[in-house]
Amino acid sequence: MKKSCFFYRKKKYSLVQNGVVTKKSPSNIALIKYWGKQKNKIQIPSNSSISYSLGKVYTVTRLIYHLRKKKKRSIRIFFSGKENTSFLPKILEFFHRISLYCSYLRDFNFVIETKNTFPHSSGIASSASSMSALALCIMEIEKKLVSSLEEDFFLRKASFLARLGSGSACRSIYPGLVVWGGHKSIKGSNNLYAIPYPYKIHPIFTKMGDTILVIDEYPKKILSSKGHQLMIHNPYAKERFRCAKKNMDRLISILKMGDLQEFGELIEHEALTLHAMIMTSYPYFLWMKPNTLHVLYKVWDFRKQSKKNIYFTLDAGANVHLLYPIQEIVSIRKWIYSDLFSYCKKIIESFCQ
Ligand code: DP6
């Protein structure tokens, strides 16, 4: 039997009523990046990835469901209190993809009310936190319909569903370090849903500061789904996937040993490789802005002079995440506000745990 069959939910329910569920879910920052999907498969990554779920930076979603009387289904989306139709195609596609696994959804019309704790237009990708919050809401409905649903299954299926909405969203279901994508050295890792990182982590990595420097508030980025597609013809893609695999093995040993310097080198290399992939795709694209580069050079200089453990990683955009041991927050915060503030539109203090 295919592994995805475990998640089928086909039978009819008698106990179907109107209701409301509310869930929150964090954004996450990848250390080893997911970039590239397997051809002709739905949301299957080309390499395994690992991320930290973030504190303070999350989406809260309220899902209101009404029994459907008319044939045509209605889904309305409200973002921070205002109706937003631009997300509708993505949500409809999501509902279509998960219909096989959540047949009960066909019985309802939905109103989705969602808000983020991070500021609007901060350039922080919200698809991970919003898709995972929505997947959790859907599982909360399933829980009401099915008499016994174990916690493990609840989270695993939520991650499975979230993945079908947005790949990185499947990692936001769990706190801490989370792995998605099958990797031979990580027990239980697989392409269908994420799992909490199952091995020993040195205490230095159990809570890290993550200060997000918002450099571009309104990124005109290419959609990540389009970006992933470009990997199909990227001449360096094969080497990238090989490198990601090797980096995962390296990270497992770094996380165990607590080697911060190696950790920093690895995450910076991953971030720059992600950007190299979009620069060498066709059509090519540049996510960094001049201020991104200023910040990266500043980080390198500061690290050399102060010997502080502060490292950057990047998402698919111009913004910079600075990661450092939480114990060093006071001096690092002081430096960020004195030396980096002028390059940023906003600064968001978060943490990884
Ligand atoms: C650069 O998860 O946004 O953030 O699956 O098409 O929705 P889709 O892509 P998405 O890609 C995120 C890519 C990344 C790296 C990462 O989070 O691993």
Side-chain angles (χ1 to χ4, degrees), residues 200-254:
K200 198 177 144 214
I201 301 169
H202 187 279
I204 197 85
F205 296 123
T206 50
K207 187 164 181 181
M208 295 200 84
D210 177 3
T211 301
I212 308 167
L213 307 178
V214 178
I215 285 170
D216 189 1
E217 287 177 297
Y218 306 102
K220 256 202 220 110
K221 58 172 199 174
I222 61 163
L223 283 174
S224 53
S225 50
K226 289 260 157 58
H228 285 285
Q229 270 174 26
L230 295 178
M231 283 300 273
I232 292 172
H233 298 294
N234 184 304
Y236 307 102
K238 217 167 145 195
E239 185 53 24
R240 157 64 193 148
F241 303 141
R242 203 184 61 81
C243 182
K245 217 177 187 180
K246 251 178 46 196
N247 282 349
M248 188 64 93
D249 278 322
R250 234 181 105 193
L251 188 64
I252 296 171
S253 124
I254 293 171

Side-chain angles (χ1 to χ4, degrees), residues 247-292:
N247 282 349
M248 188 64 93
D249 278 322
R250 234 181 105 193
L251 188 64
I252 296 171
S253 124
I254 293 171
L255 291 173
K256 186 169 157 199
M257 303 311 288
D259 191 332
L260 266 171
Q261 208 177 320
E262 283 252 338
F263 172 85
E265 271 174 26
L266 186 122
I267 66 163
E268 291 190 351
H269 179 253
E270 270 291 315
L272 295 178
T273 306
L274 168 72
H275 280 239
M277 288 301 106
I278 202 73
M279 288 187 223
T280 53
S281 287
Y282 204 87
Y284 47 83
F285 203 77
L286 191 56
W287 284 318
M288 288 191 200
K289 295 278 170 181
N291 280 349
T292 313

Side-chain angles (χ1 to χ4, degrees), residues 28 30 32-35 37 43 49 90 127 163 165-169 171 224-225 228 274 315-316:
N28 69 67
I32 294 189
K33 311 288 181 183
Y34 147 57
W35 196 247
K37 307 182 195 194
Q43 295 291 94
S49 58
K90 192 166 174 156
S127 69
R163 181 197 108 234
S166 179
S168 54
R171 298 186 310 237
S224 53
S225 50
H228 285 285
L274 168 72
D315 251 337

Side-chain angles (χ1 to χ4, degrees), residues 117-344:
T117 57
F118 43 96
H120 287 315
S121 55
S122 56
I124 298 180
S126 59
S127 69
S129 54
S130 55
M131 279 299 175
S132 52
L134 183 57
L136 285 165
C137 285
I138 290 169
M139 284 311 292
E140 203 58 42
I141 299 178
E142 182 162 322
K143 200 167 152 187
K144 288 179 196 284
L145 303 175
V146 179
S147 50
S148 66
L149 212 153
E150 285 182 4
E151 184 65 8
D152 271 4
F153 177 87
F154 179 99
L155 295 173
R156 211 170 288 158
K157 184 165 174 183
S159 176
F160 174 85
L161 299 178
R163 181 197 108 234
L164 294 170
S166 179
S168 54
C170 73
R171 298 186 310 237
S172 281
I173 297 295
Y174 298 98
L177 280 166
V178 186
V179 180
W180 171 43
H183 188 277
K184 62 171 183 357
S185 322
I186 304 182
K187 202 169 167 236
S189 63
N190 72 91
N191 289 338
L192 298 183
Y193 52 85
I195 57 161
Y197 180 71
Y199 301 127
K200 198 177 144 214
I201 301 169
H202 187 279
I204 197 85
F205 296 123
T206 50
K207 187 164 181 181
M208 295 200 84
D210 177 3
T211 301
I212 308 167
L213 307 178
V214 178
I215 285 170
D216 189 1
E217 287 177 297
Y218 306 102
K220 256 202 220 110
K221 58 172 199 174
I222 61 163
L223 283 174
S224 53
S225 50
K226 289 260 157 58
H228 285 285
Q229 270 174 26
L230 295 178
M231 283 300 273
I232 292 172
H233 298 294
N234 184 304
Y236 307 102
K238 217 167 145 195
E239 185 53 24
R240 157 64 193 148
F241 303 141
R242 203 184 61 81
C243 182
K245 217 177 187 180
K246 251 178 46 196
N247 282 349
M248 188 64 93
D249 278 322
R250 234 181 105 193
L251 188 64
I252 296 171
S253 124
I254 293 171
L255 291 173
K256 186 169 157 199
M257 303 311 288
D259 191 332
L260 266 171
Q261 208 177 320
E262 283 252 338
F263 172 85
E265 271 174 26
L266 186 122
I267 66 163
E268 291 190 351
H269 179 253
E270 270 291 315
L272 295 178
T273 306
L274 168 72
H275 280 239
M277 288 301 106
I278 202 73
M279 288 187 223
T280 53
S281 287
Y282 204 87
Y284 47 83
F285 203 77
L286 191 56
W287 284 318
M288 288 191 200
K289 295 278 170 181
N291 280 349
T292 313
L293 276 179
H294 280 303
V295 165
L296 303 194
Y297 280 108
K298 283 269 183 190
V299 171
W300 284 334
D301 284 348
F302 175 67
R303 197 161 73 213
K304 204 165 163 198
Q305 282 160 22
S306 69
K307 306 273 178 284
K308 294 259 174 236
N309 292 299
I310 177 165
Y311 302 95
F312 68 79
T313 185
L314 305 163
D315 251 337
N319 300 336
V320 181
H321 286 246
L322 294 178
L323 266 55
Y324 47 85
I326 202 74
Q327 296 84 335
E328 299 188 25
I329 189 163
V330 176
S331 56
I332 285 181
R333 181 189 280 144
K334 207 168 146 212
W335 172 72
I336 290 174
Y337 280 90
S338 68
D339 284 44
L340 301 184
F341 193 71
S342 58
Y343 300 110
C344 310

